[in-house]
């Protein structure tokens, strides 16, 4: 029997409305043990029991709640069981800390939705309807306390009716800071690219829907920034969005009118439905069904990133459209999402035909979050709207530390008391605009959380821009190794503090020997780590080019095994090189020019992808590895041969035999799908054998490579009979999740 503990943090109107007795009865009826307790801002629930009962508990918690209870924040995650013996209502914990002090933005609630589509209501079709339980928060707050005068709503003076609601403790808009109505609140405009107003209010939304149906691209000012919308069923519209946005193959997210229409296109299980309908309302990656949107939406991809409307503006527009739209960040590739009107018009005028904009200013950019379901749990890939900046609560008080994250997909984090506040997704720091966003976010967090760091934690990589920034800050610095930060993030996500084995598989990460690590097995705790295992090294040539061209990884791997003979082999990466490239590559390997030793598992994925002819050059980060995952067949169990060697007490996965067998399979005409499956299985087998040798009970899986669902789930299945295996939930496994780990390691290493 699979007993787990489910921890639920709820905020909203949950005190004095019969909520705790309701939770008590619900838990009892599902045979769950644990407790429920009031906290300063809401309710904390911990329940243990069988997995399927925990899922029913979550579902019923939303569907059967007492009539007066309402939530604006509901986060849940699964932890090790503690062995509760009964279920009880515990005394309130007045000092207990809740996850939020600045709330994330919250998707429109059912009560507001009903009003928006009720003809007689004074907010009928009003795009800025909200209440105490829903609406903008993080995207409009300028400083604490969260009062109207401290938000971007301060420019709108409430009318008499709105003010009455706002002041009445019985009203569901009591102290709803963004409260507004058509008389007094923000307005919607449809503008052309020269900013001329074409229509206002509902008419503007209706016209936008018409334009989208006709194949136009609309820039829509959403909650945390501008988005680009077009008809997802129209090949030409999606194709032209790709062309104008200069985005070749990277998948686009979709918005559907509602959950029913979404279910026609993707498979939705119970946990997925809970996530889609949650107050966070993220983009969720789900498997495609036979019914298809344009294949330009997500080429070669068996998944679609889908969401449902989460603001009244989206709801009204989608109700008019009744058809799915592409809904992607309003930016030029890899830059931060545009959120200020001036910038949006300047940057998006060559992409969008029309702008559906409004008069409520956005304080900071907050992208849509991206979530995947792995092992039946929420697995956040990009942490932004709906999640940021809610805090992680650590078990003890932390010194004031600012953690600067790493380089790609960056976030920052700060510690205040027991809380760790992780920023929204910032982006790749090598882009100038993202770097500016990074600097701005640091200042923003200092102001918003009234925070002054005493220490700076940063990645140990001396060349990262975040490290260079740390060095200018005139505060004591604590360098943190990349892979250690990954593992500790995963440990705090699962609330475990002891010596563990962390497996950090990633594209890159500065190691203790100054080389690029990325296939690591670390014995570690919060303070320090030791390398227990890794991959055999190979060389990457040409720095960053090696990331964009998987064939460079392939040649590095082949050169290790076959030397110069590699350049005569009948393989796709070799054939893709022209004469000049071939000559240069040989010299670079021979004379070790611009060649870097690496143990990167991400690059091994790239190399295999290239060798079997899937992709020689990629058009977005991680593409070659993802394509490899997508073709793998989970039902296949075979794997390739390999060796585990040992050098200076470190176990080394030698992939030589595996690569040779892959090449033999290719010669025999074995299908790519089967080779990819066997490759995945080999890696699972590698983990199993190394873990067996190390003999430690608790295993943590982190790093960008573990965004791969097949690898993560198969590893879990293979190991969980003998070991406790932990994966990420609230904190992303990729570099979005580096900063919270840096905080904890930083705190343990203050001299
Ligand atoms: Zn509401
Ligand atoms: Zn009003
Ligand atoms: Fe990383």
């Amino acid at each position: 029997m699979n007993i787990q503990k489910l921890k639920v943090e709820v905020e909203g109107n949950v005190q004095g409305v019969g909520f705790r007795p309701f939770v008590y009865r619900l838990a009892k009826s599902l045979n769950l043990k644990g407790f429920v307790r009031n906290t300063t801002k809401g309710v904390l629930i911990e329940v243990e029991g069988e997995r399927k009962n925990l899922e029913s508990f979550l579902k019923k918690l939303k569907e059967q709640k007492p009539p007066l209870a309402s939530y604006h924040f509901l986060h849940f995650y699964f932890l090790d069981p503690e062995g509760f013996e009964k279920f009880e209502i515990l005394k309130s914990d007045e000092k207990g800390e809740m996850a939020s002090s600045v709330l994330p933005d919250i998707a429109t609630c059912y009560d507001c939705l009903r009003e928006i589509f009720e003809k007689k209501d004074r907010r009928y079709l009003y795009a800025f309807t909200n209440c105490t339980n829903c609406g903008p928060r993080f995207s409009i707050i300028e400083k604490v306390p969260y009062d109207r005068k401290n938000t971007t709503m301060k420019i709108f003076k409430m009318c008499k009716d709105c003010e009455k609601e706002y002041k009445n403790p019985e009203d569901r808009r009591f102290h709803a800071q963004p409260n507004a109505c058509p008389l007094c609140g923000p307005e919607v405009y449809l503008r052309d690219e020269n900013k001329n107003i074409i229509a206002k209010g509902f008419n503007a939304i209706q016209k936008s829907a018409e334009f989208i149906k006709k194949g136009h691209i609309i820039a829509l000012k959403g909650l945390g920034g501008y988005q680009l919308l077009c008809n997802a069923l129209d090949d030409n519209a999606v194709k032209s969005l790709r062309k104008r946005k200069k985005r070749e193959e990277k998948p686009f997210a979709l918005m559907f009118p509602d959950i029913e229409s979404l279910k026609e296109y993707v498979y939705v299980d119970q946990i997925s439905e809970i996530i889609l309908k949650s107050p966070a309302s993220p983009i969720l990656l789900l498997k495609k069904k036979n019914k298809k949107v344009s294949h330009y939406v997500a080429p070669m991809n068996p998944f679609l990133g889908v969401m449902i409307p989460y603001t009244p503006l989206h709801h009204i527009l989608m109700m008019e459209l009744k058809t799915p739209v592409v809904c992607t960040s309003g930016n030029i590739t890899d830059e931060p999402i545009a959120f200020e009107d001036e910038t949006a018009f300047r940057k998006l005028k060559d992409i969008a035909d029309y702008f559906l904009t409004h008069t409520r200013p956005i304080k900071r950019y907050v992208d849509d979050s991206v979530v995947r379901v792995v092992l039946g749990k929420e697995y956040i890939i990009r942490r932004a709207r709906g999640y940021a900046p809610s805090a992680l609560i650590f078990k003890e008080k932390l010194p004031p530390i600012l953690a600067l994250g790493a380089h790609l997909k960056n976030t920052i984090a700060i510690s205040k008391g027991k809380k760790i506040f992780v920023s929204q997704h910032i982006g790749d720091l090598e882009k100038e605009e993202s770097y500016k966003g990074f600097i701005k976010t640091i200042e923003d967090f200092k102001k918003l959380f009234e925070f002054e760091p005493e220490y700076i934690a940063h990645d140990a990589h001396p060349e990262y821009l975040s490290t260079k920034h740390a060095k200018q800050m005139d505060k004591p610095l604590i360098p943190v190794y990349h892979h250690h930060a990954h593992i500790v993030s995963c440990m705090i996500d699962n609330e475990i503090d002891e010596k563990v084995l962390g497996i950090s598989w990633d594209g890159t990460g500065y190691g203790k020997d100054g080389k690029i690590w990325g296939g690591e097995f670390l014995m570690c705790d919060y303070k320090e780590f030791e390398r227990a295992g890794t991959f055999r090294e190979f060389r990457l040539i040409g720095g960053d080019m090696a990331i964009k061209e998987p064939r460079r990884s392939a040649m590095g791997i082949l050169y290790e095994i076959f030397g110069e003979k590699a350049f005569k082999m009948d393989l796709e990466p070799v054939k893709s090189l022209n004469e000049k490239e071939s000559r240069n590559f040989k010299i670079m390997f021979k004379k070790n020019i611009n060649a870097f030793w690496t143990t990167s598992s991400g690059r091994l994925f790239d190399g295999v992808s290239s060798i079997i002819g899937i992709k020689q050059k990629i058009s977005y980060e991680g593409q070659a590895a993802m394509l490899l995952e997508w073709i793998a067949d989970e039902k296949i169990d075979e794997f390739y041969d390999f060796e585990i060697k040992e050098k200076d007490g470190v176990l080394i996965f030698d992939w030589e035999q595996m690569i040779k067998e892959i090449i033999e399979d290719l010669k025999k005409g074995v299908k790519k799908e089967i080779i990819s499956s066997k490759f995945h299985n080999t890696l699972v087998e590698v983990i199993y054998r190394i873990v067996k040798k190390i003999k430690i009970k608790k295993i943590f899986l982190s790093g960008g490579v573990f965004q791969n669902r097949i690898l993560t789930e198969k590893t879990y299945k293979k190991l969980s009979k003998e070991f406790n295996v932990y994966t990420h939930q609230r904190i992303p496994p990729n570099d979005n999740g580096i900063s919270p780990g840096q905080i904890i390691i930083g705190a343990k290493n203050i001299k």
Side-chain angles (χ1 to χ4, degrees):
M1 214 163 32
N2 182 14
I3 300 288
Q4 286 179 315
K5 176 167 92 175
L6 173 72
K7 189 163 173 176
V8 190
E9 298 164 336
V10 190
E11 287 181 28
N13 195 32
V14 286
Q15 296 185 0
V17 292
F19 188 70
R20 285 179 304 166
F22 155 69
V23 173
Y24 180 85
R25 283 192 301 272
L26 183 57
K28 282 272 184 189
S29 74
L30 291 164
N31 197 21
L32 301 175
K33 314 270 191 317
F35 67 84
V36 55
R37 182 170 76 195
N38 278 351
T39 58
T40 38
K41 281 186 181 156
V43 162
L44 176 71
I45 306 167
E46 293 194 12
V47 281
E48 283 177 18
E50 271 184 75
R51 177 63 203 216
K52 66 173 189 339
N53 291 349
L54 294 175
E55 276 187 35
S56 309
F57 179 83
L58 266 180
K59 196 164 174 252
K60 291 179 176 164
L61 198 60
K62 287 201 79 172
E63 288 172 356
Q64 300 178 0
K65 65 177 162 35
L68 289 174
S70 50
Y71 318 139
H72 54 229
F73 181 98
L74 189 154
H75 283 187
F76 62 90
Y77 39 100
F78 295 91
L79 300 169
D80 278 356
E82 281 182 40
F84 294 124
E85 283 173 356
K86 55 180 179 193
F87 191 88
E88 50 191 337
I89 300 179
L90 295 183
K91 271 218 213 79
S92 313
D93 177 9
E94 292 304 329
K95 283 177 294 208
E97 300 200 45
M98 283 305 283
S100 68
S101 62
V102 178
L103 279 173
D105 298 306
I106 310 156
T108 310
C109 74
Y110 291 110
D111 290 328
C112 286
L113 206 55
R114 212 174 302 126
E115 288 178 356
I116 296 162
F117 292 108
E118 169 63 57
K119 273 204 177 106
K120 287 184 209 118
D121 197 277
R122 69 187 190 94
R123 289 188 175 85
Y124 179 53
L125 299 177
Y126 181 54
F128 302 93
T129 305
N130 66 79
C131 72
T132 314
N133 296 310
C134 76
R137 297 286 186 276
F138 185 47
S139 61
I140 59 165
I141 185 171
E142 290 171 336
K143 59 180 180 202
V144 283
Y146 175 60
D147 276 332
R148 186 163 178 118
K149 64 175 188 332
N150 293 337
T151 70
T152 64
M153 281 297 289
K154 67 185 173 209
I155 56 172
F156 303 98
K157 195 178 157 1
M158 268 185 259
C159 71
K160 264 199 210 132
D161 287 341
C162 287
E163 202 169 340
K164 223 193 268 165
E165 294 165 341
Y166 182 85
K167 286 186 172 158
N168 176 8
E170 305 290 305
D171 197 280
R172 68 182 181 86
R173 296 202 164 87
F174 178 56
H175 281 194
Q177 307 306 339
N179 190 24
C181 78
L183 266 181
C184 66
E187 287 176 278
V188 188
Y189 295 108
L190 179 64
R191 295 171 185 269
D192 64 17
E193 54 189 359
N194 299 315
K195 293 194 205 165
N196 301 312
I197 297 179
I198 300 172
K200 289 185 190 178
F202 174 61
N203 196 238
I205 304 175
Q206 226 174 6
K207 271 232 150 63
S208 303
E210 272 169 38
F211 285 140
I212 290 173
K213 277 185 199 153
K214 279 185 192 153
H216 290 295
I217 295 166
I218 303 279
L220 175 142
K221 185 177 180 182
L223 202 47
Y226 277 78
Q227 298 167 315
L228 292 162
L229 272 58
C230 74
N231 185 352
L233 305 179
D234 180 344
D235 278 350
N236 287 327
V238 184
K239 225 161 61 182
S240 80
L241 178 58
R242 285 211 175 275
K243 208 166 142 205
R244 294 189 206 170
K245 212 181 169 217
K246 299 190 179 68
R247 177 153 150 163
E248 287 171 50
E249 291 170 328
K250 191 175 177 184
F252 282 136
L254 298 174
M255 185 177 274
F256 288 79
D258 50 34
I259 194 104
E260 277 65 44
S261 57
L262 182 150
K263 283 177 176 170
E264 293 173 26
Y265 293 86
V266 287
Y267 293 96
V268 183
D269 60 6
Q270 183 160 291
I271 200 87
S272 301
E273 185 157 345
I274 291 171
I275 295 167
L276 283 166
K277 289 180 175 169
S278 73
S281 190
I283 296 169
L284 188 62
L285 302 181
L286 291 173
K287 200 149 196 151
K288 285 176 181 169
K289 281 186 174 173
N290 277 335
K291 186 163 177 177
K292 299 242 180 315
V293 293
S294 163
H295 79 273
Y296 294 105
V297 168
M300 294 171 279
N301 191 335
F303 296 90
L304 287 177
V306 299
M307 61 183 147
I308 55 175
Y310 54 83
T311 72
L313 181 57
H314 289 111
H315 275 290
I316 301 166
L317 177 69
M318 295 309 291
M319 203 62 111
E320 283 297 303
L321 268 166
K322 295 185 182 67
T323 172
V325 291
V326 166
C327 185
T328 183
S329 312
N331 58 6
I332 300 164
T333 298
D334 293 338
E335 278 192 1
I337 180 169
F339 68 104
E340 287 156 322
D341 299 329
E342 283 305 312
T343 325
F345 273 95
R346 186 161 38 83
K347 297 222 163 188
L348 304 179
K349 69 175 192 308
D350 296 330
I351 304 176
D353 300 309
Y354 299 97
F355 288 75
L356 182 58
T357 177
H358 61 72
T359 53
R360 185 179 72 207
I362 299 171
K363 171 64 186 165
R364 58 184 63 73
Y365 69 83
V366 196
D367 276 280
D368 289 323
S369 293
V370 181
V371 173
R372 185 161 200 190
V373 173
V374 173
L375 292 161
K377 296 187 241 181
E378 187 175 38
Y379 199 71
I380 302 179
I381 301 289
R382 180 166 76 196
R383 197 171 181 279
R385 180 183 52 75
Y387 299 95
S390 55
L392 305 157
I393 319 262
F394 194 58
K395 60 190 166 86
E396 56 205 50
K397 262 186 120 174
L398 295 160
I401 302 174
L402 165 66
L404 297 179
H407 188 62
L408 298 178
K409 299 183 183 160
N410 207 24
T411 59
I412 62 154
I414 61 169
S415 48
K416 225 187 148 176
K418 287 181 175 179
K419 293 179 181 175
I420 305 168
F421 296 99
V422 184
S423 77
Q424 73 276 33
H425 168 81
I426 295 171
D428 299 348
L429 298 191
E430 65 205 9
K431 298 273 174 215
E432 199 192 330
E433 293 294 324
S434 307
Y435 185 72
K436 282 187 201 155
F438 164 73
I439 302 293
K440 247 178 139 175
T441 306
I442 295 170
E443 289 314 308
D444 187 27
F445 264 53
K446 280 160 79 171
K447 231 193 248 163
L448 192 56
F449 294 98
E450 298 174 315
F451 170 80
E452 190 52 46
E454 282 174 26
Y455 305 92
I456 311 294
H458 64 90
D459 197 285
H461 200 307
E463 294 303 319
Y464 279 177
L465 290 174
S466 55
T467 303
K468 290 182 177 168
H469 184 70
K471 288 183 177 157
Q472 296 166 9
M473 288 187 87
D474 200 27
K475 294 264 159 99
L477 302 183
I478 312 164
V480 175
Y481 283 100
H482 191 91
H483 297 289
H484 190 203
H486 270 307
I487 299 303
V488 171
S489 279
C490 193
M491 290 169 71
I492 53 177
D493 205 350
N494 289 284
E495 301 184 356
I496 301 279
D497 178 9
E498 59 185 79
K499 195 152 204 134
V500 305
L501 177 68
I503 303 179
S504 177
W505 284 10
D506 204 351
T508 183
Y510 190 78
K512 279 181 177 170
D513 55 5
K515 290 178 188 171
I516 306 163
W517 290 12
E520 309 311 312
F521 296 75
L522 309 180
M523 284 296 301
C524 68
D525 54 24
Y526 287 164
K527 187 165 192 273
E528 53 203 2
F529 74 93
E530 224 175 291
R531 198 183 207 184
T534 186
F535 284 27
R536 176 177 167 187
E537 294 180 336
F538 60 92
R539 278 177 298 172
L540 293 173
I541 45 173
D544 278 352
M545 285 299 281
I547 297 171
K548 294 185 178 112
E549 299 187 0
R551 58 184 188 163
R552 290 177 187 249
S553 293
M555 293 316 296
I557 291 163
L558 296 171
Y559 195 88
E560 271 311 289
I561 306 176
F562 305 104
E564 286 214 359
K565 277 189 207 136
F567 287 87
K568 293 205 176 72
M569 295 175 86
D570 182 26
L571 292 168
E572 291 299 325
V574 182
K575 283 190 258 177
S576 80
L577 301 172
N578 61 34
E579 237 171 84
K580 192 176 155 207
E581 285 167 337
S582 183
R583 200 167 46 227
N584 287 345
F585 278 27
K586 268 185 220 164
I587 296 171
M588 283 155 102
F589 282 127
K590 209 168 174 179
K591 303 198 168 157
N592 209 27
I593 305 165
N594 206 3
F596 305 91
W597 289 103
T598 187
T599 58
S600 168
S601 55
R603 297 292 89 79
L604 184 73
F605 264 88
D606 284 355
V608 170
S609 193
S610 159
I611 289 170
I612 70 177
I614 291 178
K615 207 77 184 162
Q616 304 309 326
K617 295 180 184 179
I618 54 169
S619 62
Y620 60 91
E621 202 223 332
Q623 187 186 19
M626 284 185 222
L627 289 167
L628 204 55
E629 176 193 350
W630 295 337
I631 62 165
D633 179 352
E634 285 174 77
K635 289 185 281 303
I636 293 172
D637 287 324
E638 283 169 88
F639 56 87
Y640 294 112
D641 212 357
F642 60 90
E643 277 180 275
I644 304 289
K645 294 180 171 163
E646 196 177 329
K647 199 184 161 204
D648 307 326
V650 178
L651 298 168
I652 294 168
F653 159 45
D654 187 340
W655 30 257
E656 178 165 332
Q657 190 56 29
M658 174 186 79
I659 297 292
K660 283 179 173 164
E661 288 183 17
I662 288 175
I663 294 169
E664 268 169 43
D665 266 357
L666 277 174
K667 274 187 200 150
K668 278 188 265 174
V670 176
K671 278 205 237 144
K672 287 173 191 170
E673 287 75 3
I674 294 173
I675 299 180
S676 169
S677 313
K678 286 166 79 176
F679 169 64
H680 277 82
N681 295 340
T682 309
L683 294 177
V684 173
E685 199 62 27
V686 167
I687 293 176
Y688 181 69
R689 282 198 213 160
I690 288 188
V691 165
K692 279 291 255 190
K693 278 181 198 267
I694 292 173
K695 295 196 184 83
I696 187 164
K697 190 87 183 139
K698 293 188 174 167
I699 316 292
F700 287 75
L701 308 181
S702 190
V705 168
F706 286 107
Q707 292 174 101
N708 182 316
R709 186 186 57 82
I710 294 185
L711 179 68
T712 307
E713 292 191 341
K714 280 206 158 184
T715 303
Y716 183 87
K717 269 177 209 136
K718 175 96 193 174
L719 270 67
S720 59
K721 281 173 220 110
E722 295 165 66
F723 304 93
N724 296 341
V725 183
Y726 300 88
T727 55
H728 279 272
Q729 302 181 66
R730 296 166 282 172
I731 307 174
N734 56 45
D735 287 7
N736 231 214
I738 285 282
S739 61
Q742 289 176 335
I743 294 263
I744 300 301
I745 298 167
K748 300 288 170 183
N749 283 282
I750 289 170
K751 298 218 168 69

